Amino acid sequence: MSQQINLFNAGFKRQKNYATTRTMAAGLGVLVLVLVVASVLANIGLATLEREAAVVKADLAAREARRTAVTATFVAPRKSETLQQELDQTSVQYRNLQQVAAILDQGEPGATRGYSAYFRAFARRGIDGLWLTGVTIQGSGEAIGLQGRALKASLLPGYLNGLAGEAVLRGKTFGQLQMTEPKAPPKAAAADGASASEPAAAPRYVEFSLQSAAAGEQAKAEQP
């Protein structure tokens, strides 16, 4: 009987060494080449970005220069004094109209009909020998003042009675009366040598002033 004995041991087999100097040099060369290529590509990209940044910066500088030039050539319009005065006058008129509108909105007696009714009443009650020289109306007719002249003082009672019949003057009495005779102007010396001491002719009229009062105020004034 025969028997084979295998004396081969794999551990004693010679192993190949791949990490040789030549292999390491080749790998290092490939790594260096990759780094060089990456650096070149990065430099190319950076140069491109720098050129684009330079173009944008130049465009921005050109726009800023144009803006500065336009701002320097722009002249702000001067404020017109005439226009400002017109605006101020318009504002004053507007405020006055607002005040008038407020008075009309209150609905006070006489405030919405104006003053024409008073003047029509004075015209209707005019008499010969008496004429008005001034009329004063306060507010919406709370107080009325008349100034005028008459050839005779006796014409005043008839004139006042006529005014009392007007609807617009109803409830008002002219209780304050002042009557004066105007002074005659000094007579100038005549050219033919007449005496300068000759008295001047007196005016042929009297001046009067009337002031109205409401009926309630007149009653209070008559109370002791």
Side-chain angles (χ1 to χ4, degrees):
M1 179 177 173
S2 64
Q3 185 178 2
Q4 293 182 355
I5 300 174
N6 189 4
L7 299 178
F8 176 76
N9 188 356
F12 295 103
K13 188 177 180 181
R14 185 176 181 180
Q15 302 292 330
K16 293 182 178 181
N17 186 7
Y18 294 97
T20 61
T21 303
R22 182 180 297 177
T23 303
M24 293 181 63
L28 184 60
V30 172
L31 179 61
V32 171
L33 180 60
V34 170
L35 292 178
V36 170
V37 172
S39 177
V40 171
L41 294 177
N43 290 333
I44 294 174
L46 180 61
T48 303
L49 292 177
E50 289 179 350
R51 287 194 299 269
E52 293 178 356
V55 172
V56 173
K57 186 176 181 180
D59 183 67
L60 181 61
R63 292 176 182 270
E64 185 68 21
R66 287 197 298 269
R67 186 185 70 83
T68 304
V70 171
T71 304
T73 57
F74 176 75
V75 179
R78 297 182 59 186
K79 187 176 182 180
S80 175
E81 296 181 358
T82 303
L83 180 60
Q84 185 62 39
Q85 292 177 358
E86 293 179 357
L87 290 176
D88 295 339
Q89 293 177 358
T90 303
S91 300
V92 172
Q93 294 176 359
Y94 177 70
R95 288 194 296 268
N96 293 338
L97 290 176
Q98 284 183 323
Q99 294 176 358
V100 172
I103 294 175
L104 294 177
D105 291 339
Q106 292 176 0
E108 297 180 355
T112 58
R113 61 189 176 189
Y115 299 134
S116 59
Y118 294 98
F119 290 101
R120 285 196 295 266
F122 297 146
R124 282 194 297 267
R125 297 301 176 175
I127 58 177
D128 294 336
L130 185 147
W131 63 96
L132 297 178
T133 59
V135 177
T136 304
I137 303 176
Q138 297 182 2
S140 56
E142 291 85 355
I144 301 175
L146 301 177
Q147 298 82 36
R149 293 174 179 176
L151 296 179
K152 295 184 296 182
S154 59
L155 297 175
L156 281 173
Y159 180 66
L160 293 178
N161 290 334
L163 292 180
E166 293 290 336
V168 71
L169 297 174
R170 191 169 301 158
K172 294 181 176 60
T173 58
F174 293 90
Q176 300 179 12
L177 171 62
Q178 294 181 358
M179 187 177 300
T180 58
E181 293 185 358
K183 297 180 180 181
K187 185 177 181 181
D192 55 0
S195 174
S197 61
E198 183 180 351
R204 299 181 59 185
Y205 61 86
V206 293
E207 294 181 344
F208 64 88
S209 176
L210 299 169
Q211 185 66 38
S212 73
E217 296 178 359
Q218 180 68 18
K220 291 180 181 180
E222 293 177 354
Q223 292 180 359

